[in-house]
């Protein structure tokens, strides 16, 4: 059976942590930032951990 290719979009958007969890960036932090509060922009700046229900789908895209 052939190897699965890694999805190019997914490899740019997700990264593995040292413990094997998948981290992601928050949405809504790329444009139209003038109407968002400092607090909202600051909280969107941090990485988030992918929810359990989405992990298997993303692992398929990353070919892990």
């Amino acid at each position: 059976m052939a190897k699965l290719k890694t999805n190019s979009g997914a490899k740019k958007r997700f990264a593995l942590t040292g413990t094997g969890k998948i981290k992601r960036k928050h949405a809504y932090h790329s444009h139209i930032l003038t109407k968002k509060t400092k607090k909202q922009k600051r909280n969107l700046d941090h990485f988030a951990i992918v929810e359990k229900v989405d992990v298997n789908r993303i692992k398929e895209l990353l070919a892990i």
Side-chain angles (χ1 to χ4, degrees), residues 7-50:
N7 182 289
S8 295
K11 71 182 174 188
K12 296 169 192 171
R13 288 173 170 82
F14 300 104
L16 286 173
T17 63
T19 56
K21 295 176 184 172
I22 302 172
K23 63 181 181 178
R24 63 171 177 84
K25 284 194 168 185
H26 286 280
Y28 306 111
H29 192 61
S30 58
H31 60 95
I32 314 176
L33 298 174
T34 51
K35 63 175 74 170
K36 295 176 180 128
T37 62
K38 287 180 183 180
K39 181 179 181 180
Q40 185 180 6
K41 288 184 279 191
R42 183 174 62 245
N43 288 335
L44 290 173
D45 199 33
H46 305 298
F47 281 97
I49 301 296
V50 171

